[in-house]
Amino acid sequence: MIEVCNLEKSFGTHKILEGVSFCINKGESVVIIGRSGGGKSVLLKHLIALLKPDAGQVRIDGEDIVPLDERQLLRVRRKFGMLFQGAALFDSMTVAENISFAFRRDRSLPQDEIARKVAHVLELVDLPGIETKNPSELSGGMRKRVGLARAIVYRPQIVLYDEPTTGLDPIASDSIDKLILRVRDRLDVTSVVVTHDMRSARRLGQRILMLHEKRIYAEGTPDEIFGSRDPIVRQFVEGTSEPTAEKGILLPYE
Amino acid sequence: MGFWGQWISDWLEGLGRLTLLAKDTFTSLFTFKVAWRDLLYQIYFVGVKSQSVVLITGAFTGMVLGAQTYFQFHKVKMDTATLAVVSVSMCSELGPVLTGLMVAGRVGAAIAAELGTMRVTEQIDALRTLATHPVDYLVVPRLLALHLALPLLTAESIAIGICAGYLVGVYLLGIDPIYSWYNMLRYTGTTDVAVGLLKALIFGGIVAIIGCYKGMTCGEGAEGVGRATTEAVVYSSITILITNFFLTLTLGKILHTL
């Protein structure tokens, strides 16, 4: 279970998050939406303590991770897998080395067992047989799949997705969405997805949180968010540059 | 806060962060299992691949030092002391300092660029999400490799510098080889060699820590990586030169009192 209480974060004089609070239950699939530069990725990175807040708490299974130092956090981070916006594959390693990175560091598994796990997880992300390829040989969509394979190979309890479909064509985006759903259902993980792709948000989220003006502005099921009459929410859902209600346009959901 | 106030504040903050990185690295050295494969690769990259640069620098420094010393000593009929000056200078000062500066340029820059690129492409964050401490994986192997490689490179540089100085002095300038060799052995002590190697050990740590620090804290984008690389070389070089002065002074005092 993830609990965020009154989170605040600034970079210099620029305040990004102010009093952000929410809760994500075990096994739940939550999508965080909001405008580009609105602090969604910053918020996501706080959940795994890649960033430290100026104030507030982040509790993972009841434990506040904010006061923990980098070494203490290693234990907490074993519960997480994360897919980065640009996949963040280690470019000096092959696909197999990327995926098996932590296994090789732990030295807890024999080589053939590691190879079997890598092959299995590559099957799961529909990329069998690419173990020996380098990240530079892969397309954007393939890199994200390998990034996802690396995130889930350790069977984490929580998977974080930072803009998983950004920069991909609609077909590749669709396949990544399906993959996220498949991972959620097969591995029974808690998923937190940050996106501004509304089609993905509707498909992936059991619950949607909208970050606006440094706070959680709206929260609800996809149907509630997409059916909302609030002008700010409508503007985002519709993808218009000005709040639609203010312009007096009849909304399709009204 | 004015410009200078801000500058001093930033400088002190940077120094504090650098110290924390050094402390983290020191802690990691005693708690973390070294990955031998990574360490061997770093020794190869830092040591083996730097040899040509270091050997050329050492050889030409020895040659020019030999020639210049001869020109001055010849005026007072002290030709046979030339090689002794070359030897002592190479062992305790020029060998470690020039090797340190060359390695700072080659390896310090490469470390900052590699780690900087990893930072801007979120690879360092990815390491952290994979429950790996970046200091354990990135800093410790580089630090150990530089601590090990720089004294060895310095020893090579000293040896080739003295040989080159001997060749120039004896075969080009006509100094008596027997007296030159005798004087060199008479005036060069084991402490000179030990001081040089100790300095190299410390300079290796400086290049590693500053290179890693600059890479891991670099700004965004290509400009950030470029700036981190430049700063790593400049700060390592300046720190080596300043540290060398204090080491010479301190070690000189200590050895003098022994």
Side-chain angles (χ1 to χ4, degrees):
Chain A
M1 185 176 181
I2 304 169
E3 293 166 276
V4 175
C5 305
N6 293 317
L7 205 67
E8 293 191 15
K9 181 69 180 175
S10 301
F11 291 113
T13 54
H14 185 47
K15 195 153 225 169
I16 306 288
L17 303 173
E18 191 171 21
V20 171
S21 298
F22 59 87
C23 189
I24 298 172
N25 296 315
K26 198 171 190 307
E28 199 179 12
S29 183
V30 170
V31 175
I32 301 171
I33 59 171
R35 296 191 61 174
S36 296
K40 304 185 298 295
S41 295
V42 169
L43 177 57
L44 193 74
K45 285 180 178 176
H46 277 92
L47 303 185
I48 192 170
L50 292 178
L51 291 172
K52 291 270 183 192
D54 300 331
Q57 291 182 322
V58 178
R59 285 197 215 100
I60 306 297
D61 294 333
E63 181 184 13
D64 185 8
I65 62 168
V66 173
L68 302 184
D69 68 24
E70 194 68 21
R71 278 193 197 281
Q72 292 168 321
L73 282 167
L74 299 180
R75 171 180 52 81
V76 178
R77 288 191 184 129
R78 288 181 202 280
K79 296 178 183 177
F80 286 87
M82 181 162 179
L83 173 59
F84 287 85
Q85 196 169 340
L89 299 180
F90 305 125
D91 42 27
S92 57
M93 300 178 195
T94 63
V95 166
E97 287 169 341
N98 261 282
I99 295 172
S100 61
F101 180 83
F103 288 141
R104 288 187 291 114
R105 301 273 302 160
D106 280 352
R107 301 174 204 166
S108 53
L109 289 177
Q111 287 295 323
D112 53 344
E113 177 67 10
I114 293 175
R116 198 187 59 74
K117 279 183 181 285
V118 170
H120 176 256
V121 81
L122 281 173
E123 288 271 355
L124 188 69
V125 298
D126 297 331
L127 288 175
I130 64 155
E131 283 91 337
T132 55
K133 283 194 183 295
N134 287 314
S136 57
E137 298 173 70
L138 307 177
S139 68
M142 289 167 85
R143 289 170 70 90
K144 294 225 175 180
R145 283 162 183 267
V146 173
L148 181 55
R150 185 179 65 182
I152 60 174
V153 73
Y154 314 104
R155 294 297 180 109
Q157 299 166 28
I158 304 161
V159 184
L160 309 178
Y161 302 88
D162 188 6
E163 311 253 9
T165 56
T166 298
L168 300 180
D169 64 73
I171 297 165
S173 298
D174 182 66
S175 69
I176 291 285
D177 285 349
K178 285 178 180 162
L179 197 55
I180 293 172
L181 290 173
R182 191 192 300 170
V183 167
R184 186 191 72 188
D185 296 338
R186 283 210 200 159
L187 305 182
D188 190 27
V189 293
T190 306
S191 305
V192 186
V193 185
V194 155
T195 187
H196 48 231
D197 179 344
M198 294 313 293
R199 200 173 77 150
S200 290
R202 182 157 213 170
R203 189 191 278 189
L204 300 176
Q206 292 166 337
R207 192 154 57 96
I208 295 177
L209 306 175
M210 181 175 168
L211 191 67
H212 180 71
E213 296 287 344
K214 304 161 200 156
R215 293 168 187 277
I216 299 295
Y217 181 81
E219 181 178 350
T221 62
D223 286 342
E224 286 168 349
I225 291 291
F226 278 80
S228 170
R229 290 167 181 271
D230 183 280
I232 301 291
V233 178
R234 287 249 45 84
Q235 179 194 10
F236 196 81
V237 168
E238 294 287 316
T240 51
S241 58
E242 287 179 31
T244 43
E246 285 175 16
K247 288 166 72 179
I249 296 171
L250 185 65
L251 300 170
Y253 302 99
E254 287 179 333
Chain B
M1 201 185 290
F3 171 78
W4 288 108
Q6 186 64 47
W7 189 84
I8 291 169
S9 165
D10 290 348
W11 187 78
L12 286 173
E13 190 184 331
L15 201 63
R17 285 173 191 266
L18 190 73
T19 311
L20 287 174
L21 177 66
K23 178 192 146 262
D24 246 358
T25 310
F26 191 71
T27 312
S28 176
L29 279 172
F30 293 99
T31 55
F32 167 68
K33 283 184 288 183
V34 175
W36 293 105
R37 193 175 151 215
D38 296 339
L39 180 61
L40 283 175
Y41 173 75
Q42 289 302 327
I43 291 172
Y44 170 74
F45 176 72
V46 168
V48 179
K49 300 278 253 182
S50 299
Q51 283 193 99
S52 53
V53 171
V54 166
L55 291 179
I56 290 168
T57 309
F60 280 90
T61 306
M63 284 198 266
V64 81
L65 187 63
Q68 193 57 253
T69 309
Y70 169 79
F71 295 141
Q72 304 306 317
F73 277 16
H74 186 62
K75 293 174 192 167
V76 289
K77 310 288 182 214
M78 285 176 63
D79 303 10
T80 54
T82 299
L83 206 57
V85 172
V86 172
S87 168
V88 173
S89 306
M90 285 303 296
C91 284
S92 59
E93 298 295 337
L94 292 174
V97 170
L98 290 176
T99 306
L101 292 178
M102 295 312 288
V103 170
R106 206 193 85 83
V107 178
I111 290 175
E114 187 183 357
L115 269 56
T117 307
M118 285 186 76
R119 177 177 149 80
V120 298
T121 54
E122 295 186 307
Q123 289 179 53
I124 291 183
D125 278 347
L127 274 179
R128 296 164 74 198
T129 64
L130 293 166
T132 301
H133 200 302
V135 169
D136 296 346
Y137 182 68
L138 298 173
V139 184
V140 170
R142 285 167 175 78
L143 179 75
L144 288 176
L146 271 160
H147 269 323
L148 196 68
L150 211 60
L152 294 174
L153 290 169
T154 300
E156 280 185 359
S157 170
I158 291 170
I160 199 152
I162 292 171
C163 287
Y166 179 88
L167 291 176
V168 167
V170 172
Y171 293 104
L172 281 181
L173 303 169
I175 307 170
D176 182 79
I178 305 296
Y179 276 116
S180 286
W181 192 256
Y182 173 77
N183 282 335
M184 183 189 82
L185 295 178
R186 185 178 171 192
Y187 291 108
T188 312
T190 44
T191 48
D192 293 318
V193 181
V195 164
L197 297 182
L198 179 65
K199 282 181 176 178
L201 186 80
I202 294 167
F203 296 161
I206 289 171
V207 173
I209 290 291
I210 293 181
C212 290
Y213 170 74
K214 282 290 162 191
M216 290 171 74
T217 57
C218 89
E220 292 302 316
E223 190 192 348
V225 177
R227 184 173 293 173
T229 309
T230 309
E231 285 180 356
V233 177
V234 172
Y235 291 169
S236 303
S237 304
I238 289 172
T239 311
I240 285 172
L241 293 171
I242 294 172
T243 310
N244 183 53
F245 167 71
F246 288 105
L247 282 173
T248 300
L249 210 64
T250 315
L251 293 172
K253 285 267 184 199
I254 292 169
L255 294 171
H256 216 71
T257 52
L258 287 178

